Amino acid sequence: MSVLVVVECADGEVKKSSLEVASYGAQVAAQLGTTATAIAVGEANEANLAKLGEQGITKVLYDAEPRLKDFVNNAYTKLIATAAEQESAKIIVLANSNIGAAVGSRLSVRLKASLATNVVELPKISGDQFTVKRGAFSGKAFSDVVLSGDRKIIAVKKNSTEAQHDAGKTAEVTSFSAQLSDADFADAPKQVVMQDQAGGVLLPEAERVVSGGRGMKGPENWGLIEDLAKALGAATACSKPVSDVDWRPHHEHVGQTGITVSPNLYIACGISGAIQHLAGVNSSKVIVVINKDPEAPFFKAADYGIVGDVFDVLPKLTAAVKALN
């Protein structure tokens, strides 16, 4: 028996959220006195997969089927389920990402497994009782959930655990085939078109995000946001009111009804901090708020706050970042 960790890859690189779940899975395996095996999905590079040993993974299964480069729900579900059966894995750990959320529920049905999403801590294991702590109500509350199924699936919230790095350790990368057929790819998209994103950084995967609200006063001022984002290598985002009035495209809207992001750094410029917006960004590791209104609600959720006019602060902040670069 081993713990199976689902590792998402893109452009040959292992995603940051998957490095976190690899470490999480390895720690769960240590609790159970077993080892952690990973199954790679997406466009992977074997050399980078081997580096998962630094996170405590002992073996990585990799299916080189080219159609697995892009997300296909049926195919990914069968791939992971087949790996779980082969490894006799009773615990499956994945990121609470768009892919993890879609695959996790299907896996739960297919494997008759208990599922917990938004998990924020290592499980508490006492005898046969397996309890996990998960976020609820957009991160405003937590609940302890007992997973009673023989198989258990844990979807770990981004930024809730640190990725460990034991330099020099490597994992064994093993070829694996789930014997996928054309029928497994029947729901594959005919074409994948990536949305244009300022700075070339995709918002859902960005480690740094610069976001603007109505305090920017109009689309003609967005160059200030883009200049700082470019200097930081960040993606740009916006609040819902901004996208509603077409100052920015809807695919940049973050919040409860838009995209949920979990970057290491989220800079909010001229955004008041309505609860609907906070629901989409409260998994960010560090939140910086710039607003001239010292009573703006966003300051209560911020790690750092600057009370000042964005039109004065942003040029100075961009110049400071460029000087450091």
Side-chain angles (χ1 to χ4, degrees):
M1 184 188 80
S2 68
V3 172
L4 184 69
V5 179
V6 180
V7 171
E8 299 176 24
C9 303
D11 299 326
E13 301 286 340
V14 177
K15 294 181 181 178
K16 172 181 171 289
S17 57
S18 287
L19 295 177
E20 293 170 357
V21 296
S23 295
Y24 182 99
Q27 291 176 76
V28 174
Q31 284 181 301
L32 298 170
T34 184
T35 57
T37 295
I39 175 72
V41 298
E43 186 177 11
N45 173 289
E46 292 195 26
N48 288 332
L49 293 179
K51 292 180 182 176
L52 286 166
E54 296 184 1
Q55 282 73 52
I57 299 296
T58 57
K59 182 171 68 173
V60 183
L61 306 178
Y62 176 46
D63 190 331
E65 161 63 62
R67 290 176 292 181
L68 290 171
K69 174 185 173 185
D70 296 315
F71 174 56
V72 182
N73 206 336
N74 276 336
Y76 276 33
T77 301
K78 182 176 178 180
L79 176 78
I80 298 165
T82 304
E85 298 284 5
Q86 175 183 296
E87 297 297 314
S88 301
K90 297 296 185 182
I91 311 290
I92 301 170
V93 181
L94 39 73
N96 200 68
S97 61
N98 291 336
I99 292 176
V103 168
S105 54
R106 286 184 176 233
L107 276 175
S108 176
V109 173
R110 187 173 184 129
L111 296 174
K112 296 180 173 57
S114 301
L115 167 66
T117 59
N118 251 356
V119 173
V120 296
E121 287 183 358
L122 287 170
K124 295 176 182 175
I125 305 170
S126 177
D128 293 334
Q129 186 155 303
F130 193 101
T131 307
V132 294
K133 184 176 185 177
R134 62 181 300 273
F137 302 112
S138 300
K140 295 294 183 184
F142 298 96
S143 61
D144 290 327
V145 178
V146 176
L147 300 181
S148 56
D150 183 46
R151 272 207 170 96
K152 303 166 180 54
I153 301 173
I154 303 172
V156 181
K157 185 179 180 180
K158 293 179 179 178
N159 284 333
S160 63
T161 184
E162 292 285 342
Q164 307 296 313
H165 292 278
D166 193 351
K169 290 192 69 175
T170 58
E172 173 193 359
V173 181
T174 304
S175 295
F176 171 77
S177 176
Q179 302 295 320
L180 299 173
S181 66
D182 290 344
D184 297 315
F185 292 93
D187 62 342
K190 300 299 181 188
Q191 185 181 16
V192 178
V193 179
M194 304 304 290
Q195 293 169 324
D196 293 334
Q197 182 71 47
V201 182
L202 290 175
L203 182 56
E205 304 298 336
E207 294 192 13
R208 292 175 287 274
V209 175
V210 181
S211 186
R214 283 185 295 184
M216 297 304 298
K217 297 185 177 178
E220 68 275 10
N221 298 318
W222 227 256
L224 294 172
I225 298 287
E226 292 173 339
D227 286 347
L228 179 57
K230 187 175 180 181
L232 288 169
T236 59
C238 67
S239 62
K240 185 175 186 297
V242 164
S243 64
D244 283 347
V245 295
D246 290 331
W247 289 2
R248 299 299 297 171
H250 282 280
H251 68 253
E252 290 191 10
H253 160 209
V254 296
Q256 193 167 35
T257 56
I259 294 174
T260 299
V261 296
S262 307
N264 285 334
L265 174 64
Y266 185 83
I267 302 178
C269 310
I271 301 176
S272 63
I275 192 169
Q276 294 89 346
H277 187 79
L278 289 173
V281 307
N282 61 12
S283 294
S284 303
K285 199 164 187 177
V286 175
I287 295 177
V288 178
V289 171
I290 305 170
N291 201 304
K292 66 180 180 181
D293 179 5
E295 301 299 322
F298 219 151
F299 281 119
K300 294 180 180 177
D303 297 283
Y304 301 94
I306 301 173
V307 179
D309 193 317
V310 290
F311 296 100
D312 293 330
V313 174
L314 282 176
K316 294 175 182 174
L317 191 55
T318 301
V321 172
K322 287 181 177 178
L324 288 173
N325 289 342

